[in-house]
Amino acid sequence: MTGTPLLRFEDVHLAFGGLRVLQSLDFDVRAGEATALIGPNGAGKTTVFNVISGVYRPQSGRVLLDGRDLAAVAPRQRIRHGIARSFQNVRLMAHLSVCENLMVGQHVKTNGLRDLLAPFRLMGNHRWRREAIDALAEVGLEAHADAPVGGLPYGIRKQVDLVRATLAGASLVMLDEPAAGLNPTETNALRLHLERLKARGITLLVVEHDMHFIDRISDHVVVLNFGRKIAEGSLAEVRRHPEVRAAYLGIEEAA
Ligand SMILES: Nc1ncnc2c1ncn2[C@@H]1O[C@H](COP(=O)(O)OP(=O)(O)O)[C@@H](O)[C@H]1O
Ligand SMILES: [Mg+2]
């Protein structure tokens, strides 16, 4: 095990009424690595993301980012602390171009949410535009710079969303089922994109059902079932774990 933890869950408990969704959850996301969070539907994976982004507050336990308790950081401030999230339904502004969407991200980093949508300022900022185009070129998407986001295939929008997170200065990017709905070519392009992010030192936390994808991208795998961590290690290690086989991979193999 190498790397210092960028993110740490310490004995986190979360319940909705009587339903215990996360139970004494402990795990680390090491800096610069891709950590995969896997488990059956309803295991609590998306809830973990919601806790990190501040949508839910745990009843007990701590979530530390770089050693700092996130309870002290308001949800809206978390992006400024380098936490970015890529949603299953990409949340880009469909009527704006790819470049404009990226420039909004840069604007958030620089000026916060104040006068967020001041299109003339965005358009006038040539440095931001250049940075946005450079970032697109790095992942082979520069041809789409001026295309309205709404007209692009889902796989491309997904990647533009990742470029947005990177330009906004994310150090931790959370992806919830990024390969869902992508064809094999798009999945491969996404994987290469994530590898580039990792090469730049960006830490990834990925929820994904596609085990082949997990196998290619992840350095470490954490398995949840009913809100508890039942195993962690390499994918090969967790696959051998009896509780994992019973709870999760067993379902897949039986199918
Ligand atoms: N806001 C909520 N209120 C009540 N129950 C919730 C809420 N969010 C999630 N849950 C429940 O928490 C459990 C874990 O959900 P979730 O984290 O979405 O699972 P996963 O992403 O692993 O499929 C499920 O039983 C789900 O119904
Ligand atoms: Mg989920």
Side-chain angles (χ1 to χ4, degrees):
M1 292 206 179
T2 53
T4 51
L6 176 65
L7 183 82
R8 165 166 282 179
F9 269 57
E10 273 183 6
D11 198 21
V12 169
H13 289 257
L14 181 84
F16 294 110
L19 182 68
R20 293 176 178 182
V21 176
L22 301 179
Q23 300 187 58
S24 51
L25 186 58
D26 285 303
F27 70 92
D28 283 350
V29 174
R30 288 188 288 273
E33 291 192 355
T35 298
L37 198 57
I38 67 172
N41 281 333
K45 306 177 298 293
T46 298
T47 303
V48 164
F49 280 17
N50 282 326
V51 166
I52 297 166
S53 46
V55 177
Y56 302 140
R57 186 179 271 270
Q59 272 90 21
S60 66
R62 298 197 306 168
V63 180
L64 306 171
L65 182 73
D66 239 341
R68 178 189 179 135
D69 193 341
L70 276 179
V73 182
R76 294 186 73 165
Q77 290 297 321
R78 292 185 191 191
I79 188 163
R80 288 180 167 262
H81 289 265
I83 297 177
R85 180 169 181 178
S86 163
F87 286 89
Q88 268 164 304
N89 304 315
V90 177
R91 295 184 178 182
L92 295 168
M93 283 167 266
H95 58 290
L96 295 183
S97 74
V98 165
C99 218
E100 286 161 349
N101 269 279
L102 297 177
M103 289 161 80
V104 170
Q106 287 160 295
H107 191 261
V108 169
K109 177 176 70 176
T110 315
N111 298 343
L113 293 168
R114 189 167 42 85
D115 62 12
L116 172 62
L117 285 175
F120 298 115
R121 287 181 212 201
L122 292 177
M123 294 308 292
N125 196 317
H126 298 299
R127 183 173 58 80
W128 285 351
R129 184 174 161 84
R130 207 167 47 241
E131 280 177 17
I133 292 189
D134 286 350
L136 288 169
E138 239 184 79
V139 286
L141 296 176
E142 70 274 28
H144 301 292
D146 295 311
V149 160
L152 293 171
Y154 177 67
I156 305 282
R157 276 187 281 144
K158 194 94 208 168
Q159 288 207 63
V160 170
D161 190 40
L162 278 179
V163 175
R164 177 196 54 75
T166 322
L167 274 174
S171 50
L172 172 70
V173 177
M174 298 187 277
L175 301 108
D176 201 345
E177 302 187 23
L182 300 187
N183 66 36
T185 310
E186 291 171 330
T187 304
N188 203 43
L190 176 73
R191 185 177 58 74
L192 292 173
H193 192 154
L194 294 181
E195 273 165 12
R196 273 176 198 275
L197 297 188
K198 251 169 75 174
R200 292 174 60 155
I202 292 176
T203 305
L204 305 174
L205 180 58
V206 185
V207 167
E208 184 50 62
H209 289 297
D210 179 341
M211 286 302 136
H212 185 64
F213 189 85
I214 292 289
D215 193 30
R216 297 288 297 270
I217 190 77
S218 61
D219 301 290
H220 190 70
V221 178
V222 174
V223 189
L224 294 188
N225 193 28
F226 296 115
R228 285 189 312 114
K229 181 179 75 184
I230 57 173
E232 67 177 312
S234 68
L235 183 61
E237 283 163 356
V238 302
R239 269 181 184 280
R240 286 196 293 270
H241 198 286
E243 212 175 334
V244 175
R245 297 184 79 85
Y248 181 67
L249 299 170
I251 295 169
E252 207 182 45
E253 278 156 14

